[in-house]
Amino acid sequence: MTGKAKPKKHTAKEIQAKVDAALTNRGGGKAGLLDRIGVEKGGHAKWECPHCKITAPDVKSMQIHHDARHPKIPFEEEKLVNRHASTVPESSKPRPGVR
């Protein structure tokens, strides 16, 4: 039983959440950078803009990018580069745990 001003001990759930936050790759740093730019596994971004080489995870996001950045050029879905089709992931390499 705790007193009024005494802090309670840390729960197992709270400790596990801290351990998980410290040890799980959230996508930042060097591992996350390689994953975002798609050097080895194609990254999470599937589509690449043929004009400026920026990547997007889906066609809708790429269309929003195209309308904002390239308004004078008509959007053609067949010209988008599918980065996942060109990169074959190796099964021996660990995949990052990005949430």
Side-chain angles (χ1 to χ4, degrees):
M1 191 162 174
T2 60
K4 228 177 190 180
K6 282 189 175 180
K8 293 182 178 179
K9 300 286 184 189
H10 295 286
T11 62
K13 183 178 178 181
E14 182 183 351
I15 292 171
Q16 185 58 38
K18 286 182 180 183
V19 168
D20 184 51
L23 299 178
T24 303
N25 179 10
R26 300 286 187 241
K30 288 183 182 178
L33 176 67
L34 292 175
D35 187 49
R36 286 190 301 276
I37 62 175
V39 172
E40 295 178 348
K41 296 176 282 294
H44 289 288
K46 183 174 182 179
W47 302 103
E48 181 179 71
C49 180
H51 308 293
C52 62
K53 305 298 182 198
I54 198 163
T55 57
D58 54 15
V59 177
K60 184 70 176 173
S61 298
M62 185 54 71
Q63 186 173 9
I64 292 169
H65 157 77
H66 193 278
D67 293 341
R69 301 292 180 197
H70 315 291
K72 295 180 181 179
I73 304 171
F75 179 72
E76 298 173 17
E77 189 176 329
E78 58 273 358
K79 286 191 175 183
L80 297 178
V81 178
N82 185 349
R83 294 174 61 105
H84 287 190
S86 61
T87 306
V88 178
E90 288 187 30
S91 60
S92 63
K93 292 191 177 185
R95 295 180 184 263
V98 179
R99 289 185 181 172

